[in-house]
Amino acid sequence: MKLSAITLDCPDPLALAAFYQQATGLEPHPKSDADFAALTCENGLTIGFQRVDDHQAPRWPDQTVPQQLHLDFTVDDLDEAEARLLELGAGKPDHQPNKDRWRVLTDPAGHPFCVIRG
């Protein structure tokens, strides 16, 4: 088996795809629309975003609405990456378990993701 896609539930697929496109530089899939949008990686992996009505954002680290999964991104400079992502619309939870090695952020739909010093 080869992993071909990771898909996140969200209220607005095009908006969430735009956030990750600006953050990563990945190319939007040409068939993206308001119900399903995607970004494609050079290695063939697709990050998808599918519309879910009444989507409830994860509440990390609280498990009232668990995260279910999160993405990790390697960066050269944690402070620089964090500042850029916050400008793009990411959030930053108060709880940061190891802020010298990684930062936990949330995308505009509330999904936690980490930037990790590379």
Side-chain angles (χ1 to χ4, degrees), residues 2-17:
K2 177 184 174 188
L3 180 63
S4 59
I6 298 168
T7 301
L8 301 173
D9 293 348
C10 63
D12 186 341
L14 291 172
L16 196 55

Side-chain angles (χ1 to χ4, degrees), residues 64-86:
T64 305
V65 180
Q67 68 181 354
Q68 299 175 15
L69 77 95
H70 74 269
L71 303 172
D72 292 337
F73 298 94
T74 303
V75 298
D76 293 327
D77 185 301
L78 284 174
D79 293 331
E80 182 179 300
E82 177 185 318
R84 181 170 176 269
L85 291 162
L86 292 172

Side-chain angles (χ1 to χ4, degrees), residues 12-15 17 29-38 49-51:
D12 186 341
L14 291 172
H29 190 280
K31 294 185 179 178
S32 294
D33 62 31
D35 290 320
F36 184 86
F49 311 94
Q50 67 185 2
R51 177 180 302 284

